């Protein structure tokens, strides 16, 4: 990490020298008042978060770790619900499945998102505008509509199957009701966010940096691995964290496009709660899902609060 | 800033396209139902119409097919047969708790002696026994609804609800691919057929749609001596539950031969889709849904339906209930009686693809001939509730998965 870091420092120094920016305006004078005012401004959202997110979350945790005996009515602190979860092969399979689908989806998002973001960042052609519109398009399509469209497009005897048939390829197996179906749909749904954040990260890399690297003879691949990747780790981490959290708790698309078994945690929770009327079981699953997402959330918070390496 | 402008344009275009998709999508019934739902309360508060007609307020929270049929077909026919009445159809689908809220209003009106502004509900009062106990609903029998004498005893769910239309799960198949002599007649035939034709049959997950749920129930009947009556109690009998694994074994033996090696769709409609686009050539479907899909051309005309001849798959009857304290109770009873007339029962079959609540023998001969493959006076009743929980849990843990429950 040290070598590219040093290099980066040099490049950044060059870049700053080339684009000499004005110093930020001093706001020291009003600090004493604005501090208090700031707290007042953020009080409502914080209160809503405490009431609607933290309070139910803590209540859920408490309810799952304090088990009351049906006969004596005594409550004891016990991990019984969690042990039951991990002893159930079906639920264990659901959790593993969710982790695998999430990792596959996020990996595919990087594979698709990075080239798109690089194209949008560096292309000067008029086509770039069209590509951007297409990239952002999934943002405006509701999940249910997407699922319906994918079923029609990717299903057996769907449009894709028909097109393959025209060019003489047979033996198509539809991803509908398979794990691949979930991954395809979730990747499509999360592309806009991924590309937006990655493009924003790439825009912070000044042209001068790349030009000077090119001047010293760096190849395209070297520029990508030594400059663009290290300089966009922050954006990449943000993309990773928020996508993992979003995908892990997905419900609509896995519900409509996924297999009956194993199912993703969102679907599994809904089933435990609605069909089996197993409130505590659903809560236990929710707490576990929440813990995994919270761990990723911590990584996210650390990423955005870490001072920029400049 | 050109970037901002670009972003705004993108947003606008996206929203427009999104709206376009949403409008053209066939899955947008709320748009059509909204006006009916919102204009309804105003209608009930309107002064009595001129001409001395008395109003019969009818409430339904049934699907669009039912509310459209009542408003466009039944209403004119009823008002023609009984010129003294005006039928006010109010759709409360998706408004609060639907008809249950109107029932609560009727109870409140009963306590204060006010006009409940409600006569007939397209609703099963058994869901809210507290209203029945409070006396909100009128007991219905041939004594006050003469045509009820033609309704078989077995269709009655309670004395407060008069069955008027039914639906049953049937076996649908593509007659262009399956010759008539190959079509399974019994459940055992079906199992053999499915194994001989891998990937050609599908049913939906039992908890996601009744067409799959009742198919699984039929498998449960198969292993418990084909007697639906043993499933009547509210609490599952452990002795019967002990027989369930045999059904899982039976269904599991078909698993690999189901569409895409055991891909069970998440609902009744996805199954119809698979049948419509030729992905499968046989599936279990609801009688009314398949009938309407055929009428609208969603299913090709080559799709035919049959029922098992040894023991049919389960189904259910939708009842009408009458508010005891209704201002126009005679109108309400006349309406229920009218719905059980041969003409309206024919309409149930022809217009909404339902099953008649009176015996088939009272219906026109040509209709009986047309439906001969599915006619049965035996519609097994599945109690649902905890029984369904056991059914779904067992199916997910033993049929849909490769994991054996209880193994480490």
């Amino acid at each position: 990490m040290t070598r590219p870091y040093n290099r980066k420092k040099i490049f950044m120094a060059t870049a700053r020298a080339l684009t000499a920016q004005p110093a930020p305006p001093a706001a020291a004078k009003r600090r004493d008042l604005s501090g208090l005012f700031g707290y007042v401004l953020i009080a409502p959202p914080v209160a809503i978060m405490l009431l609607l997110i933290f309070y139910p979350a803590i209540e859920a945790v408490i309810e799952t770790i304090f088990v009351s005996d049906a006969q004596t009515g005594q409550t004891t602190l016990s991990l019984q619900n969690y042990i039951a979860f991990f002893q159930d092969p079906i639920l264990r399979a659901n959790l593993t499945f969710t982790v695998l689908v999430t990792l596959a989806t996020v990996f595919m998002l990087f594979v698709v998102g990075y080239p798109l973001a690089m194209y949008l960042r560096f292309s000067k052609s008029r086509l770039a505008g069209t590509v951007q519109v297409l990239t952002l398009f999934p943002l405006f399509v509701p999940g249910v509509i997407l699922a319906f469209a994918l079923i029609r497009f990717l299903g057996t005897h769907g449009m894709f199957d028909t097109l393959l048939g025209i060019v003489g390829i047979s033996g198509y197996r539809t991803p509908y009701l398979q794990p691949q179906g979930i991954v395809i749909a979730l990747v499509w749904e999360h592309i806009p966010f991924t590309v937006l954040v990655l493009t924003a990260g790439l825009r912070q890399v000044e042209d001068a940096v790349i030009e000077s690297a090119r001047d010293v003879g760096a190849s395209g691949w070297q520029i990508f691995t030594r400059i663009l990747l290290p300089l966009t780790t922050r954006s990449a981490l943000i993309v990773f964290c928020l996508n993992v959290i979003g995908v892990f708790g997905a419900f609509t698309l896995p519900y409509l496009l996924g297999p009956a078994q194993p199912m993703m945690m969102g679907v599994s929770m809904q089933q435990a709660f609605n069909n089996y009327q197993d409130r505590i079981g659903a809560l236990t699953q929710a707490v576990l899902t929440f813990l995994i997402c919270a761990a990723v959330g911590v990584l996210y918070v650390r990423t955005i609060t870490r001072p920029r390496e400049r | 800033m050109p970037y901002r402008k670009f972003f705004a344009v993108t947003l606008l275009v996206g929203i427009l396209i999104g709206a376009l998709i949403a409008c053209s999508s066939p899955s947008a019934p709320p748009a059509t139902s909204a006006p009916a739902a919102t204009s309804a309360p105003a209608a009930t508060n309107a002064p009595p119409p001129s001409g001395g007609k008395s109003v019969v307020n009818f409430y339904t929270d049934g699907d669009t097919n039912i509310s459209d049929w009542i408003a466009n077909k039944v209403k004119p026919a009823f008002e023609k047969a009984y010129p003294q009445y005006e039928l006010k159809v109010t759709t409360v689908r998706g408004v609060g708790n639907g008809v249950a809220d109107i029932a609560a209003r009727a109870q409140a009106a009963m306590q204060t002696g006010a006009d409940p502004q409600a006569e007939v509900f397209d609703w099963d009062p058994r869901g809210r026994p507290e209203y029945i106990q409070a006396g909100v609903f009128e007991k219905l029998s041939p004594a006050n609804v003469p045509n009820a004498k033609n309704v078989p005893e077995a269709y009655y769910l309670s004395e407060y609800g008069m069955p008027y239309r039914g639906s049953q799960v049937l076996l649908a198949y593509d007659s262009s691919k399956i010759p008539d002599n190959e079509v399974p007649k019994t459940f055992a035939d079906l199992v053999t057929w499915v194994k001989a034709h891998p990937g050609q049959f599908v049913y939906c997950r039992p908890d996601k749609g009744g067409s799959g749920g009742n198919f699984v129930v039929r498998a449960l009947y198969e292993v418990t001596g084909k007697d639906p009556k043993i499933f009547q109690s509210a609490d599952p009998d452990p002795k019967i539950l002990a027989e369930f694994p045999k059904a899982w074994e039976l269904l599991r033996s078909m698993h690999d031969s189901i569409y895409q090696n055991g891909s069970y769709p998440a609902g009744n409609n996805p199954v119809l889709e698979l049948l419509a686009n030729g992905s499968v050539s046989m599936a279990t479907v609801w009688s009314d849904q398949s009938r309407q899909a055929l009428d609208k051309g969603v299913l090709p005309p080559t799709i035919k339906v049959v029922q098992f001849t040894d023991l049919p798959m389960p189904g259910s009857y939708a009842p009408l209930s009458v508010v005891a304290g209704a201002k126009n109770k005679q109108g309400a009873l006349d309406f229920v009686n009218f719905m059980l007339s041969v003409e309206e029962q024919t309409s149930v079959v022809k217009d909404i693809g339902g099953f008649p609540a009176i015996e088939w023998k009272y219906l026109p001969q040509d209709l009986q001939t047309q439906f001969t493959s599915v006619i049965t006076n035996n519609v097994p009743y599945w109690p649902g509730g905890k029984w369904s929980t056991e059914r779904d849990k067992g199916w997910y843990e033993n049929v849909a998965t490769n994991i054996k429950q209880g193994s480490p």
Side-chain angles (χ1 to χ4, degrees):
Chain A
M1 196 59 205
T2 48
R3 249 171 38 113
Y5 181 69
N6 285 339
R7 227 174 233 250
K8 196 168 77 190
K9 238 179 171 176
I10 297 161
F11 286 134
M12 292 322 268
T14 330
R16 222 170 287 134
L18 282 169
T19 56
Q21 280 170 351
K29 251 189 188 171
R30 290 174 54 189
R31 180 166 286 172
D32 47 340
L33 253 181
S34 67
L36 193 69
F37 187 58
Y39 286 123
V40 174
L41 275 183
I42 62 160
V46 167
I48 287 175
M49 272 183 59
L50 286 176
L51 268 175
L52 297 183
I53 299 174
F54 285 95
Y55 173 66
I58 289 166
E59 204 187 23
V61 173
I62 290 172
E63 227 174 303
T64 51
I65 54 174
F66 286 99
V67 181
S68 69
D69 197 301
Q71 268 147 24
T72 59
Q74 261 184 332
T75 31
T76 43
L77 180 69
S78 139
L79 286 177
Q80 191 187 314
N81 286 319
Y82 294 89
I83 293 166
F85 177 94
F86 284 105
Q87 274 176 346
D88 188 323
I90 302 271
L91 292 177
R92 236 170 31 218
N94 288 349
L95 185 64
T96 321
F97 179 70
T98 310
V99 170
L100 289 178
V101 166
T102 306
L103 290 179
T105 306
V106 173
F107 175 76
M108 284 310 294
L109 273 170
F110 277 108
V111 170
V112 177
Y114 248 112
L116 271 173
M118 300 245 286
Y119 174 76
L120 291 176
R121 161 70 179 83
F122 295 111
S123 172
K124 304 271 186 287
S125 82
R126 302 189 97 193
L127 196 66
T130 318
V131 173
Q132 175 132 21
V133 174
L134 284 176
T135 313
L136 293 182
F137 179 64
L139 216 50
F140 310 108
V141 180
V144 180
I145 307 266
L146 165 62
F148 181 70
L150 280 179
I151 292 171
R152 298 305 289 267
F153 181 74
L154 292 172
T156 318
H157 300 245
M159 194 171 166
F160 189 62
D161 195 3
T162 314
L163 289 177
L164 284 180
I166 290 171
V167 295
I169 300 170
S170 61
Y172 169 74
R173 282 186 62 86
T174 172
Y176 171 47
L177 301 173
Q178 309 284 337
Q180 303 91 291
I182 309 181
V183 174
I184 291 171
L186 286 174
V187 165
W188 199 81
E189 198 186 32
H190 287 87
I191 278 179
F193 171 74
T194 308
V195 173
L196 276 181
V197 176
L198 287 180
T199 315
L202 284 167
R203 280 196 206 284
Q204 286 178 353
V205 182
E206 276 113 315
D207 284 344
V209 182
I210 293 146
E211 278 159 25
S212 45
R214 236 181 235 135
D215 287 346
V216 296
S219 68
W221 180 245
Q222 277 177 319
I223 292 177
F224 178 67
T225 54
R226 297 281 180 81
I227 300 173
L228 294 179
L229 267 190
L231 283 182
T232 51
T233 27
R234 205 182 158 85
S235 309
L237 271 173
I238 293 174
V239 164
F240 174 82
C241 295
L242 293 185
N243 276 338
V244 164
I245 293 171
V247 170
F248 207 91
F251 174 74
T252 312
L253 293 172
Y255 177 83
L256 292 169
L257 296 169
Q261 270 291 350
M263 48 187 124
M264 284 183 72
M265 291 310 289
V267 186
S268 170
M269 269 179 249
Q270 190 263 354
Q271 192 181 44
F273 187 80
N274 267 7
N275 294 0
Y276 305 159
Q277 315 217 319
D278 176 8
R279 198 169 150 273
I280 295 294
L283 268 182
T284 310
Q285 296 181 36
V287 170
L288 281 169
T289 308
F290 178 76
L291 285 180
I292 292 168
C293 289
V296 182
V298 168
L299 180 65
Y300 169 72
V301 171
R302 282 186 56 178
T303 311
I304 57 164
T305 52
R306 197 178 57 197
R308 280 170 193 262
E309 298 170 10
R310 282 210 167 178
Chain B
M1 255 170 98
Y3 184 67
R4 185 180 292 175
K5 190 177 163 194
F6 170 74
F7 200 83
V9 170
T10 313
L11 193 81
L12 191 72
V13 168
I15 289 172
L16 286 177
I17 295 175
L20 211 69
I21 290 176
C23 292
S24 63
S25 150
S27 61
T32 53
S33 70
T38 46
S39 65
T44 51
N45 296 333
S50 53
K53 286 189 177 187
S54 57
V55 175
V56 177
N57 286 296
F58 175 88
Y59 286 87
T60 179
D61 53 11
D63 241 327
T64 340
N65 57 343
I66 303 303
S67 55
D68 282 357
W69 169 65
I70 298 276
N72 302 329
K73 285 258 163 98
V74 175
K75 179 181 149 75
F78 176 66
E79 286 170 358
K80 201 175 154 204
Y82 293 84
Q84 69 269 40
Y85 298 132
E86 181 189 337
L87 187 73
K88 277 233 161 91
V89 181
T90 306
T91 308
V92 287
R93 171 182 60 248
V95 185
N97 293 319
V99 173
D101 283 351
I102 312 296
R105 197 177 79 187
Q107 189 191 16
M110 193 181 75
Q111 282 158 357
T112 58
D115 175 11
Q117 296 183 346
E119 269 78 27
V120 187
F121 292 153
D122 174 23
W123 192 61
D124 187 352
R126 282 181 311 160
R128 299 288 173 101
E130 64 269 27
Y131 297 150
I132 293 179
Q133 278 158 17
V136 176
F137 292 101
E138 182 79 6
K139 273 191 189 180
L140 301 172
S141 69
N144 51 10
V145 181
N147 282 338
K149 65 182 190 299
N150 297 339
V151 178
E153 195 90 7
Y155 295 0
Y156 281 88
L157 304 170
S158 77
E159 48 196 340
Y160 298 94
M162 180 57 69
Y164 80 103
R165 64 181 163 91
S167 55
Q168 192 164 11
V169 174
L170 306 170
L171 194 63
Y173 67 98
D174 191 336
S175 60
S176 66
K177 291 180 189 162
I178 305 168
D180 279 348
N181 59 355
E182 257 190 39
V183 177
K185 298 272 189 299
T186 63
F187 194 84
D189 281 354
L190 176 74
V191 177
T192 319
W193 188 90
V194 170
K195 286 178 184 167
H197 301 83
Q200 288 304 307
F201 175 75
V202 79
Y203 61 96
C204 78
R205 299 169 203 174
D207 58 327
K208 303 290 190 267
S211 68
N214 283 333
F215 174 76
V216 176
V217 169
R218 181 61 185 80
L220 293 173
Y221 291 162
E222 189 74 11
V223 300
T224 49
K226 294 188 190 177
D227 182 11
K229 290 201 178 63
I230 61 172
F231 295 94
Q232 296 304 328
S233 61
D235 278 308
D237 180 348
K239 251 200 294 196
I240 302 171
L241 286 182
E243 306 281 313
F244 277 23
K246 283 193 254 167
W248 309 143
E249 215 171 290
L250 183 65
L251 292 171
R252 179 73 200 169
S253 74
M254 296 163 70
H255 176 77
D256 291 332
S257 307
I258 301 287
Y259 168 67
Q260 293 268 335
N261 296 48
S263 294
Y264 306 93
N268 298 321
N269 276 322
V271 167
L272 291 178
E273 281 263 320
L274 292 178
L275 198 59
N277 70 19
S279 300
V280 296
S281 47
M282 199 185 285
T284 56
V285 296
W286 276 112
S287 56
D288 49 353
Q289 286 182 340
S290 59
R291 174 77 193 172
Q292 285 191 317
L294 280 166
D295 286 347
K296 287 180 181 157
V298 177
L299 282 178
T302 51
I303 301 290
K304 287 184 178 173
V305 286
V306 287
Q307 183 58 275
F308 292 129
T309 50
D310 54 341
L311 174 67
M313 283 187 269
S316 62
Y317 282 88
L320 291 172
S321 45
V322 170
V323 179
K327 195 174 156 200
N328 191 359
K329 194 155 87 184
Q330 190 50 49
L333 294 171
D334 284 345
F335 178 72
V336 175
N337 196 46
F338 173 74
M339 288 309 288
L340 292 176
S341 65
V342 172
E343 293 74 36
E344 287 315 297
Q345 289 298 304
T346 308
S347 169
V348 163
V349 179
K350 280 189 168 166
D351 295 323
I352 55 169
F355 276 19
I358 58 174
E359 279 185 64
W360 279 97
K361 66 178 183 203
Y362 299 115
L363 296 187
Q365 192 59 46
D366 60 318
L367 213 57
Q368 290 187 46
T369 321
Q370 194 187 340
F371 285 88
T372 182
S373 64
V374 293
I375 285 183
T376 167
N377 278 330
N378 185 359
V379 179
Y381 168 67
W382 173 253
K386 287 178 186 165
W387 285 104
S388 285
T389 308
E390 293 291 341
R391 174 195 69 188
D392 300 342
K393 222 169 157 54
W395 184 84
Y396 272 98
E397 288 168 354
N398 301 290
V399 180
T401 175
N402 290 315
I403 303 165
K404 270 258 178 284
Q405 184 71 355
S407 66

